[in-house]
Amino acid sequence: MTTTIGLREVEALQSLDEEQFRSLERALTVQSFDDGHLFDRAGRKADRHRSALHIILGGQVAVTSRARAANQVPVERMMKAGEIVGLISFFKDGPRTATMRAVGPVCVASLTREQYDQILKASPALHSAFLFAMARQLARDVRQCNDRLVSALQSAETPAAPVATPGQPG
């Protein structure tokens, strides 16, 4: 069963006051997409006019990134209702490093760079509050990534330390 929430239920937006929330709500575009919809693809060149962040209101979006070198680990994360996807690519110009794809039907509230710039000009207070909301999401993302890393390191087999034999250097 797919969880669907209202925009007001998004945790990252809880700090917005009523006027800020209504202004943001007017700037967002709510859209539904089918299973497999490609929001962005790793390697795609950045396009300021196509860049958007998406607040997931229903469904799930898979975010995947391939390892580019032997010592790198691929990233795979399933993002769900209430999470903001595409934050890094929203602000970063350059080739995309992750692919974002709908897993099943998904409903999102999207904000383009153009809409974001309009918010910045129209309401510095809303802009500041929304930046804080995005920072909260990024902090959650970093915390989850750290938790996965610690878990992976703890589950890896630790080689046993060599046991010194009496009379031999250890």
Side-chain angles (χ1 to χ4, degrees):
M1 172 119 189
T2 300
T3 301
T4 302
I5 64 169
L7 195 57
R8 185 42 99 182
E9 296 172 74
V10 174
E11 183 182 339
L13 304 179
Q14 298 291 315
S15 64
L16 300 179
D17 67 30
E18 195 57 38
E19 182 180 330
Q20 292 169 336
F21 182 81
R22 283 193 311 270
S23 295
L24 177 62
E25 192 174 36
R26 285 190 298 271
L28 294 168
T29 303
V30 176
Q31 298 173 287
S32 294
F33 297 99
D34 294 329
D35 179 39
H37 173 77
L38 188 64
F39 289 94
D40 217 338
R41 180 178 41 83
R44 180 182 284 165
K45 185 178 181 208
D47 178 354
R48 188 176 185 354
H49 301 291
R50 290 187 49 198
S51 290
L53 59 82
H54 311 282
I55 302 168
I56 304 171
L57 301 176
Q60 298 181 348
V61 175
V63 179
T64 58
S65 176
R66 285 188 265 156
R68 288 175 268 147
N71 64 344
Q72 290 183 329
V73 176
V75 174
E76 295 184 19
R77 179 155 179 234
M78 192 66 66
M79 307 220 25
K80 62 188 182 323
E83 295 184 292
I84 303 171
V85 66
L87 279 173
I88 301 295
S89 63
F90 187 71
F91 290 106
K92 180 181 172 270
D93 293 329
R96 300 302 183 224
T97 58
T99 297
M100 301 180 302
R101 184 181 307 274
V103 178
V106 67
C107 179
V108 297
S110 301
L111 184 71
T112 65
R113 289 279 295 266
E114 185 177 319
Q115 291 164 323
Y116 177 80
D117 290 344
Q118 289 172 358
I119 287 173
L120 174 61
K121 290 176 189 169
S123 174
L126 172 57
H127 178 251
S128 177
F130 191 59
L131 277 176
F132 182 71
M134 291 186 288
R136 290 178 69 188
Q137 175 69 50
L138 287 171
R140 267 194 309 279
D141 293 347
V142 168
R143 193 174 307 117
Q144 286 180 353
C145 185
N146 185 62
D147 289 347
R148 287 193 316 268
L149 177 61
V150 168
S151 179
L153 290 171
Q154 289 174 342
S155 68
E157 211 173 306
T158 307
V163 177
T165 307
Q168 294 183 348

